Amino acid sequence: MSGSPSEHAGAVGHHFAAFDRRDWHRPVDRGPLRFAVVGVGTFAKNRALPAISTVEQTETTVFVSNTVSESDPVAREYDIEAVVGYDEFHAGAATDDYDAVYVAAPNAFHREYAESAAKHGKHVLCEKPLATSVADARSMVDACEDAGVTLMTAYRLHVEPATRRTRELVQEGYIGRPVQVHSTFATKLLDGHDDDHWRLDPSIAGGGATIDLGVYPINAIRFLLDEDPVTVQGVTNAWGSAFDRVEEHAAFQLTFPSGVVASCSTTFDGQPDSHLQLVGTDGSISIDSPYGGDVPQEVTVECGDMRMEYTGAPVDDVCEEVAYFANHVLTGRRPGPDGRDGLTDLRVVEAVYDSAENGRRVELDADD
């Protein structure tokens, strides 16, 4: 993008002037959207339930759990009168009491809960990864499409302000033509978790650092570039004794039709950190800590001699995600990160595993 440093700064500042604007919002004349939360575990208690309670157009009316009862403190806190077991949920219990489900159960169970919700005519907001395999994800997509219900993969980055403002800058050419992307996501899985944590069981998690953490940069980069990768090359390994069944570390490279190359690394045993940088022919954009639960909303834009740092107000990204989903359902629109979005990411994840196992670059065909 041509222009003086002051012109660049002014143009960038224009996008950040209303940093947290909900540009996806449409007026709603009905609601609230009533949720059945499937899997009342740590994430549901700490993030999903408070978010649903906070968003004006949503409320939780049903718990689906085999371990929580109506007398449980969390049920009393959210005034939940209908608590049904998993078998009861599949059989259609309490279907008059909810409009949509939030699937917050471990990965391997996403498919069965989403398909039962679709069978009962309920919309689905499903945590990521969408499933543990491409086959399961495709079955979920087909079930929801056949039932005419919304399926959204819970990619909070699609509605998180720093990511949305960065996408706008990329699309409008502020860094010229994107050429490279660099991203990392590292965490200490076993800090606070035992060696029997479900994420260490491939039959439940579907894999290790690639499928659990890798979907974050995969999806974020696809969203920012507005294109899907065509080749994948990856390496995985494990050193810790707890990681005898899933990979502890992963690194992979994605190439896109435009020629952009993205290099990503993830680890279950590294100094906690996340970072995303897009490098273009005329500048770069960096987002600090985009993938954690507490996003600082810090964006740095460099273009020639101009460097601009912006820190937005804190935003609860789960609240944004829930509000986005509800607004799209209540206004009859299809959300951006839908089921096919989650399906595409799993195709990339499986290609990383294929590449790591066979030591070759994997070409991705267009999905059906």
Side-chain angles (χ1 to χ4, degrees):
M1 183 178 181
S2 61
S4 66
S6 61
E7 289 173 331
H8 282 300
V12 172
H14 170 73
H15 282 276
F16 291 150
F19 184 78
D20 59 353
R21 63 186 179 275
R22 289 178 168 179
D23 46 6
W24 44 263
H25 185 269
R26 299 292 183 273
V28 177
D29 58 4
R30 61 191 182 97
L33 188 72
R34 302 170 302 162
F35 274 100
V37 174
V38 181
V40 189
T42 300
F43 175 80
K45 293 175 182 178
N46 294 342
R47 302 299 307 279
L49 289 169
I52 295 170
S53 178
T54 299
V55 173
E56 183 178 356
Q57 292 293 328
T58 61
E59 64 178 342
T60 302
T61 54
V62 177
F63 279 175
V64 182
S65 173
N66 285 342
T67 59
V68 173
S69 67
E70 289 89 342
S71 61
D72 191 281
V74 69
R76 294 200 305 269
E77 179 181 356
Y78 292 99
D79 196 25
I80 305 299
E81 296 183 358
V83 179
V84 301
Y86 296 122
D87 290 342
E88 294 174 295
F89 171 76
H90 291 308
T95 51
D96 290 338
D97 297 327
Y98 66 94
D99 311 302
V101 300
Y102 193 132
V103 181
N107 306 342
F109 307 108
H110 290 181
R111 174 181 173 177
E112 61 181 276
Y113 298 131
E115 291 185 351
S116 285
K119 181 180 66 176
H120 302 312
K122 307 301 180 180
H123 304 288
V124 181
L125 175 57
C126 184
E127 268 304 317
K128 59 206 162 302
L130 185 61
T132 56
S133 70
V134 167
D136 280 359
R138 183 174 285 111
S139 179
M140 293 166 65
V141 169
D142 290 344
C144 290
E145 290 184 351
D146 290 346
V149 299
T150 297
L151 171 59
M152 174 175 155
T153 310
Y155 283 122
R156 298 185 288 280
L157 284 169
H158 276 250
V159 296
E160 190 273 321
T163 311
R164 292 187 74 84
R165 303 293 81 81
T166 296
R167 187 173 191 257
E168 292 167 358
L169 293 173
V170 172
Q171 290 182 334
E172 295 187 19
Y174 286 95
I175 62 170
R177 176 183 174 182
V179 293
Q180 294 180 340
V181 185
H182 306 281
S183 187
T184 183
F185 191 8
T187 187
K188 286 278 191 180
L189 177 65
L190 296 181
D191 283 3
H193 294 298
D194 297 328
D195 288 0
D196 62 352
H197 191 272
W198 65 264
R199 284 186 169 87
L200 298 174
D201 183 345
S203 68
I204 300 176
T210 307
I211 195 169
D212 191 83
L213 303 180
V215 292
Y216 285 82
I218 290 169
N219 187 263
I221 294 166
R222 290 181 49 242
F223 178 64
L224 291 170
L225 298 177
D226 196 23
E227 60 177 344
D228 297 334
V230 291
T231 67
V232 178
Q233 189 157 4
V235 176
T236 64
N237 53 50
W239 301 328
S241 59
F243 298 91
D244 58 342
R245 293 185 292 168
V246 299
E247 78 278 8
E248 184 178 8
H249 317 284
F252 50 91
Q253 188 177 80
L254 314 175
T255 58
F256 291 81
S258 63
V260 177
V261 177
S263 300
C264 308
S265 61
T266 63
T267 176
F268 270 155
D269 189 21
Q271 174 65 29
D273 182 38
S274 71
H275 190 75
L276 176 63
Q277 181 189 38
L278 294 97
V279 178
T281 53
D282 299 326
S284 66
I285 305 177
S286 300
I287 306 176
D288 187 48
S289 299
Y291 306 131
D294 183 16
V295 180
Q297 308 294 332
E298 294 178 359
V299 181
T300 301
V301 182
E302 295 186 73
C303 189
D305 295 331
M306 186 274 291
R307 176 185 173 90
M308 186 174 185
E309 299 180 4
Y310 183 86
T311 301
V315 172
D316 186 318
D317 53 0
V318 182
C319 281
E320 294 299 296
E321 165 201 299
V322 169
Y324 176 93
F325 174 77
N327 190 255
H328 280 71
V329 169
L330 294 173
T331 57
R333 293 177 295 143
R334 183 170 177 166
D338 60 11
R340 289 192 175 274
D341 208 41
L343 170 60
T344 297
D345 293 331
L346 283 169
R347 293 178 65 239
V348 177
V349 166
E350 289 194 357
V352 173
Y353 287 135
D354 183 359
S355 176
E357 181 178 0
N358 297 296
R360 62 183 179 88
R361 182 182 298 270
V362 176
E363 294 187 2
L364 292 173
D365 296 326
D367 192 27
D368 56 11

